[in-house]
Amino acid sequence: QKKLGKGLGEMHLNSTKSNPKIFGYPVEGFIGLTDQRKGWENNWIDCFLNLRIMPQISILQRNILDKKTINKLKEKIRSELINHKPINTLVHGDLWSGNVGVDKSGRGIIFDPASWWADNEVDIAMTRLFGGFGKEFYEEYHKILPKKEGFEKRMIIYNFYHVLNHANMFGGSYFNKVQNYTKAIIGM
């Protein structure tokens, strides 16, 4: 966990050296079984909404979120992210305990990415969505990239993308999670 946290922190920090100063990715990708849209945006909020949240909402069953609720969500996400200064890094994009391991030498490794240029916090947020990362991971990571004020709210917003994706892939109880995240975001 320590090596993995340190390694991810170093990867994020080192990627800022070649950062394109815009957010997104130049090629189509996948997040699980779902397409991950290519494209670039000049600012983080437009990237997150236009390339991640809205494409997932567009394939969500229509009776889950109505147009008025979607507009409220977009406005709330904008208002919560407007003063945030993201660190634009090349993120793994699908970082949960099932996509990490240890090599023969004991080094932490990550695999099965859905990479894009995004706020470094999207990776850290997802590590908390399904559990599996220890205290040592976060301690080592935050020695390199300290946690910023407001992260707990942004974590809910960033994980909304993955909850939407899971609802689109698996349905069932994930539709309830979409409703719960929607209420949490609108109620911030």
Side-chain angles (χ1 to χ4, degrees):
Q1 290 289 306
K2 279 181 146 182
K3 289 178 182 178
L4 188 62
K6 182 180 182 205
L8 182 68
E10 289 173 348
M11 183 188 84
H12 282 170
L13 186 62
N14 288 335
S15 75
T16 64
K17 295 172 186 166
S18 61
N19 153 349
K21 308 297 183 226
I22 52 181
F23 297 91
Y25 209 67
V27 295
E28 297 287 336
F30 294 93
I31 180 79
L33 302 172
T34 311
D35 291 338
Q36 188 163 266
R37 187 174 285 174
K38 72 176 179 176
W40 295 104
E41 293 285 353
N42 290 320
N43 72 69
W44 171 236
I45 297 169
D46 288 343
C47 176
F48 187 66
L49 285 171
N50 297 338
L51 299 178
R52 296 298 176 256
I53 295 297
M54 293 312 296
Q56 289 290 336
I57 286 176
S58 73
I59 57 176
L60 191 67
Q61 284 185 6
R62 291 176 196 219
N63 63 341
I64 304 297
L65 296 176
D66 61 42
K67 196 170 197 148
K68 182 178 175 184
T69 302
I70 292 168
N71 287 333
K72 282 182 186 179
L73 270 168
K74 286 173 29 179
E75 286 308 309
K76 193 59 178 183
I77 289 170
R78 278 189 188 287
S79 70
E80 287 297 326
L81 297 180
I82 194 76
N83 293 316
H84 174 57
K85 304 281 189 266
I87 298 173
N88 189 3
T89 61
L90 184 62
V91 297
H92 180 279
D94 194 11
L95 192 59
W96 64 289
S97 60
N99 286 344
V100 303
V102 178
D103 70 10
K104 290 178 184 178
S105 68
R107 290 186 351 208
I109 56 172
I110 56 177
F111 47 87
D112 194 21
S115 297
W116 53 303
W117 288 94
D119 183 352
N120 70 295
E121 291 180 343
V122 300
D123 272 349
I124 300 306
M126 188 171 188
T127 65
R128 293 188 175 181
L129 185 59
F130 300 117
F133 290 75
K135 180 180 165 188
E136 301 86 11
F137 170 85
Y138 300 104
E139 288 172 350
E140 291 301 310
Y141 181 86
H142 290 303
K143 284 179 185 175
I144 296 166
L145 291 166
K147 187 191 288 188
K148 292 182 178 181
E149 185 177 332
F151 171 70
E152 299 304 320
K153 285 184 176 181
R154 288 189 301 277
M155 178 177 61
I156 294 166
I157 291 168
Y158 294 162
N159 282 339
F160 185 52
Y161 170 57
H162 298 291
V163 169
L164 285 166
N165 184 49
H166 278 74
N168 287 325
M169 287 191 303
F170 307 118
S173 65
Y174 285 106
F175 292 135
N176 292 333
K177 286 187 185 265
V178 167
Q179 296 290 351
N180 293 339
Y181 270 73
T182 298
K183 288 176 189 169
I185 292 168
I186 291 173
M188 286 182 177

